[in-house]
């Protein structure tokens, strides 16, 4: 029998959303957390204190620190993640006489002073994971993420066609109704936040468009390195010609910020202390919506502006704004929270769709039937993915506080702890009856998130009460968010215990799965 357009779109919506739904959920969860990646990193590096020292002084002190530590250093780069970051990241290129194991990076506080901070990738890891994944070659991961994002876009568009009552369902949310409640949760989260979900999916694809469709680059550049030289400004240090007095850095940075109309986000100094010294100032990524920010090159001895690099063309400007929209670095607090809440709605949309697929097929079975292999597999994967990833995130934060501060390979150990906990959740879901697995993993998630502020209080002096008293809303807000997540998972566990919502009511006692 020939199907109509709506029925065909419903089939496409179902399978496009299911087959890569667990990966999409992981991308949404980690991508949503990345809207507060700087705050997460600050919480995970409690040794770095916020400072009131002005931004330019921090850059000055950082450059001075490395030139004292590393004589004749060819290149110094100081990075600031923006107005929300407490510290600076410092990288340098060692000279030819330096030993192979010589350090080339340091963590500084906002004043540009070295801090013995614990090794961690903080919120940056969660940001990178949502498009680079982990334990996979980067290009493989990005192609897989691109396929998932395209499936998401197909699911969104086919869902719009399928949805007959899109306006009515905008206001409809029935609680405690089993499968119908899951359908309402899926509809409300997808309809109410449709503009955001559509934007975040499409701009995510645009962010890696050159990777997925490189033909414009290959058609115009025989050598890909020429493309990168044209699109991204990164000159190498010239040959040294002799020592010379350097121009003060403060006037250069002040002039650059005035010309850029945005704070400095990166400062590169080539051949400091030499006649060929250059100072390259790039605007901060959180200073405007676009991410393709201009760079200014100054003579390091005279402070004279030598050149301005500005990405040109409508295509470059469009890409810049779309990536900026996706990352949300430009957003001030209220808009950032709107990004975050919308991202949570996207997580609910994907998770409820996965649960709904299993519920609909479970409800068609006779009482006592276990279900076919595909249904059982989806149910087990749902538990491991939907609850297992939050357990892994809580474990990541706990590992940050519990692992020895001076441990070698500490950052990798934190990440490994995340995946060990996540894998354990999948194993538990596979071994336990599905209803019990939901309840037990939800309980573990609640306990794990509740433990984060407690362990923080036991291992640092920046506990919740101290942070509230000091007005440190980054630390206090992080702990409060952990408690809110713990309460949310505890409520979900309680409802699962009381109602057993994952099996149709008439079959709760009979179905062993």
């Amino acid at each position: 029998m020939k199907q109509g357009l709506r029925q065909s779109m419903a089939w496409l919506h179902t399978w496009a959303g299911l087959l890569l739904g667990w990966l999409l959920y992981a991308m949404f969860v980690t991508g949503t957390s990345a809207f507060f990646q700087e705050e997460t990193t600050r919480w995970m590096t409690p040794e770095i204190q916020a400072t009131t020292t002005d931004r330019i002084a921090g850059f000055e002190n950082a450059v001075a620190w490395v030139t004292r530590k590393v004589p004749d250093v060819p290149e110094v780069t100081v990075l600031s993640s923006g107005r929300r970051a407490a510290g600076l990241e410092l990288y340098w290129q060692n000279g030819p006489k330096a030993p192979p194991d010589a350090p080339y990076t340091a963590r500084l506080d906002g004043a540009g002073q070295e801090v013995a901070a614990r090794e961690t990738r903080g919120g940056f890891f969660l940001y990178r994971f949502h498009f680079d994944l982990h334990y996979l070659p980067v290009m493989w991961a990005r192609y897989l993420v691109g396929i998932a994002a395209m499936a998401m876009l197909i699911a969104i568009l086919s869902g719009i066609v399928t949805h007959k009552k899109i306006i009515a369902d905008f206001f409809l949310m029935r609680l405690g109704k089993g499968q119908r409640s899951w359908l309402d949760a899926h509809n409300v989260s997808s309809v109410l936040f449709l503009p955001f979900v559509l934007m975040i999916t499409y701009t995510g694809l645009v962010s890696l468009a050159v990777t997925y469709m490189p033909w414009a680059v290959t058609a115009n550049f025989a050598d890909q390195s020429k493309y990168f030289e044209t699109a991204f400004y990164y000159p190498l240090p010239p040959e040294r010609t002799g020592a010379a007095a350097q121009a003060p850095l403060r006037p250069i940075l002040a002039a650059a910020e005035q010309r850029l109309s945005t704070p400095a986000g990166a400062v590169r100094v080539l051949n400091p202390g030499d006649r060929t010294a250059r100072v390259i100032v790039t605007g901060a990524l959180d200073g405007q919506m676009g991410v393709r920010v201009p760079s200014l090159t100054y003579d390091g001895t005279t402070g004279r502006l030598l050149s301005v690099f500005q990405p040109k063309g409508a295509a470059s400007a469009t890409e810049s704004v779309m990536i900026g929209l996706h990352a949300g670095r430009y957003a001030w607090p209220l808009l950032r929270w709107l990004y975050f809440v919308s991202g949570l709605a996207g997580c609910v949309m994907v998770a409820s769709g996965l649960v709904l697929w299993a519920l609909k097929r479970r409800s068609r079975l006779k009482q006592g039937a276990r279900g076919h292999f595909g249904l059982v597999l989806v149910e087990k994967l749902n538990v491991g993915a939907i609850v297992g990833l939050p357990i892994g995130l809580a474990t990541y934060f706990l590992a940050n506080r519990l692992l020895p501060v001076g441990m070698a390979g500490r950052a990798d150990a934190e990440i490994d702890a995340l995946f060990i906990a996540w894998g354990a959740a999948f194993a538990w879901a596979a071994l336990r009856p599905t209803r019990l697995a939901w309840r037990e993993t939800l309980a573990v998630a609640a306990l794990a998130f509740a433990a984060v502020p407690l362990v923080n209080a036991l291992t640092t002096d920046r506990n919740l009460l101290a942070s509230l008293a000091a007005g440190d809303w980054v630390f206090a807000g992080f702990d409060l968010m952990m408690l809110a997540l713990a309460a949310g998972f505890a409520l979900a566990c309680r409802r699962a215990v009381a109602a057993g919502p994952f099996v149709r009511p008439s079959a709760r006692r009979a179905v062993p799965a």
Side-chain angles (χ1 to χ4, degrees), residues 3-19 24 148-166 186-187 190-191 194 197-198 201 349:
Q3 290 183 325
L5 174 64
R6 184 166 283 129
Q7 288 75 18
S8 299
M9 290 295 103
W11 179 90
L12 184 61
H13 178 79
T14 297
W15 291 104
L18 176 71
L19 295 179
L24 285 167
M150 184 58 72
M152 181 70 180
L153 189 61
I154 292 170
I156 293 170
L157 298 177
S158 58
I160 293 172
V161 175
T162 303
H163 213 124
K164 293 184 292 185
K165 301 178 180 178
I166 193 167
H186 187 66
N187 289 338
S190 57
V191 173
L194 177 61
V197 174
L198 191 57
T201 303
M349 177 190 69

Side-chain angles (χ1 to χ4, degrees), residues 13 15-32 129-130 133 144-156 201 343 346-347 349-351 354 385 389 422:
H13 178 79
W15 291 104
L18 176 71
L19 295 179
L20 290 166
W22 302 284
L23 175 58
L24 285 167
Y25 175 78
M27 291 162 58
F28 259 97
V29 170
T30 51
T32 298
F129 177 82
H130 97 280
L133 306 182
L144 184 58
V145 164
I147 293 169
M150 184 58 72
M152 181 70 180
L153 189 61
I154 292 170
I156 293 170
T201 303
C347 299
M349 177 190 69
V350 177
L354 292 169
L389 177 55
W422 193 5

Side-chain angles (χ1 to χ4, degrees), residues 13-318:
H13 178 79
T14 297
W15 291 104
L18 176 71
L19 295 179
L20 290 166
W22 302 284
L23 175 58
L24 285 167
Y25 175 78
M27 291 162 58
F28 259 97
V29 170
T30 51
T32 298
S33 73
F35 293 131
F36 287 104
Q37 65 168 305
E38 304 304 337
E39 289 77 6
T40 301
T41 300
R42 286 176 63 176
W43 186 89
M44 296 180 75
T45 50
E47 297 82 6
I48 298 180
Q49 300 284 341
T51 176
T52 57
T53 303
D54 70 275
R55 180 179 55 259
I56 291 179
F59 283 115
E60 284 184 306
N61 294 338
V63 173
W65 180 89
V66 76
T67 52
R68 288 196 306 270
K69 292 278 187 180
V70 187
D72 297 326
V73 60
E75 176 183 344
V76 180
T77 301
V78 187
L79 300 177
S80 169
S81 298
R83 56 182 178 268
R84 293 154 43 225
L88 299 169
E89 295 178 49
L90 178 60
Y91 302 89
W92 62 89
Q93 179 183 338
N94 289 304
K97 297 181 181 179
D101 58 347
Y104 57 89
T105 183
R107 293 295 303 272
L108 311 176
D109 63 16
Q113 304 300 321
E114 185 180 15
V115 178
R118 63 192 66 197
E119 182 190 355
T120 180
R121 291 181 65 189
F124 183 71
F125 166 72
L126 301 178
Y127 162 70
R128 296 291 297 194
F129 177 82
H130 97 280
F131 61 92
D132 277 351
L133 306 182
H134 198 63
Y135 302 126
L136 286 176
V138 169
M139 294 309 297
W140 290 15
R142 292 190 177 185
Y143 280 120
L144 184 58
V145 164
I147 293 169
M150 184 58 72
M152 181 70 180
L153 189 61
I154 292 170
I156 293 170
L157 298 177
S158 58
I160 293 172
V161 175
T162 303
H163 213 124
K164 293 184 292 185
K165 301 178 180 178
I166 193 167
I167 301 299
D169 287 346
F170 186 89
F171 304 99
L172 187 61
M173 184 65 208
R174 292 159 289 193
L175 300 176
K177 300 294 184 181
Q179 180 180 322
R180 190 170 295 277
S181 296
W182 284 103
L183 178 61
D184 289 345
H186 187 66
N187 289 338
V188 169
S189 58
S190 57
V191 173
L192 184 60
F193 295 91
L194 177 61
F196 172 84
V197 174
L198 191 57
M199 178 276 291
I200 210 73
T201 303
Y202 181 71
T203 55
L205 283 166
V206 170
S207 300
L208 297 174
V210 174
T211 300
Y212 304 139
M213 298 183 293
W215 307 292
V217 174
T218 56
N220 290 278
F221 297 91
D223 183 357
Q224 279 202 358
S225 63
K226 296 296 183 183
Y227 161 73
F228 288 105
E229 289 178 10
T230 304
F232 306 100
Y233 184 64
Y234 200 86
L236 298 176
E239 290 291 330
R240 286 179 171 269
T241 59
Q246 302 295 288
L249 196 57
R250 175 174 285 273
I252 293 176
L253 293 180
E257 290 189 345
Q258 183 176 9
R259 189 180 184 97
L260 293 169
S261 300
T262 188
V267 176
R268 288 183 70 213
V269 182
L270 309 181
N271 290 341
D274 192 78
R275 286 196 293 265
T276 60
R278 298 289 183 267
V279 178
I280 303 169
V281 184
T282 304
L285 290 176
D286 62 354
Q288 62 282 309
M289 184 178 291
V291 297
R292 301 287 183 245
V293 292
S295 296
L296 309 178
T297 301
Y298 292 85
D299 188 310
T301 59
T302 65
R304 180 171 60 91
L305 179 63
L306 298 178
S307 64
V308 178
F309 175 79
Q310 174 69 61
K312 298 179 181 179
S316 177
T318 301

